[in-house]
Amino acid sequence: MSQTFLPPEWFKQLCDPYAVLGISVSADDRQIFKRYHTLAKLLHPDRHTKSSNPDQELATAILSYLINPAYEQLKNRHKRLIAIAML
């Protein structure tokens, strides 16, 4: 593993899905999906095939450990209400 790869434990400490996706708490389903789609396109591993391996690993880790779980939490209305209550 490279020096720029962050341990999964660090990602688990970032528990605010709204901050992870960079959207407001009042965002609707469409805004949440649009932001997720934009970030997923930017960080997708296929996009980083020409870059160095550490960059590809970091992008994949951010997508896997931050972006995807945040989106999974916010696309479910019940989980979204729990996230708002925890804030």
Side-chain angles (χ1 to χ4, degrees):
M1 270 193 224
S2 69
Q3 294 292 331
T4 60
F5 184 74
L6 299 174
E9 299 83 36
W10 288 20
F11 292 118
K12 290 178 185 175
Q13 292 178 7
L14 300 170
C15 61
D16 181 5
Y18 290 99
V20 169
L21 294 179
I23 55 176
S24 73
V25 177
S26 62
D28 63 3
D29 291 338
R30 184 173 180 271
Q31 291 169 323
I32 292 169
F33 175 75
K34 190 174 180 181
R35 182 63 179 167
Y36 167 74
H37 190 261
T38 301
L39 292 172
K41 279 181 19 180
L42 287 173
L43 296 171
H44 195 274
D46 290 345
R47 184 180 176 113
H48 299 280
T49 56
K50 294 180 182 176
S51 63
S52 65
N53 195 22
D55 290 344
Q56 185 177 8
E57 286 180 16
L58 183 60
T60 301
I62 291 171
L63 183 63
S64 299
Y65 292 110
L66 283 177
I67 305 300
N68 287 339
Y71 176 66
E72 288 296 321
Q73 187 173 5
L74 294 181
K75 76 176 186 178
N76 182 319
R77 289 192 186 272
H78 179 67
K79 290 181 181 179
R80 191 183 320 168
L81 291 174
I82 292 171
I84 291 172
M86 289 180 68
L87 296 176

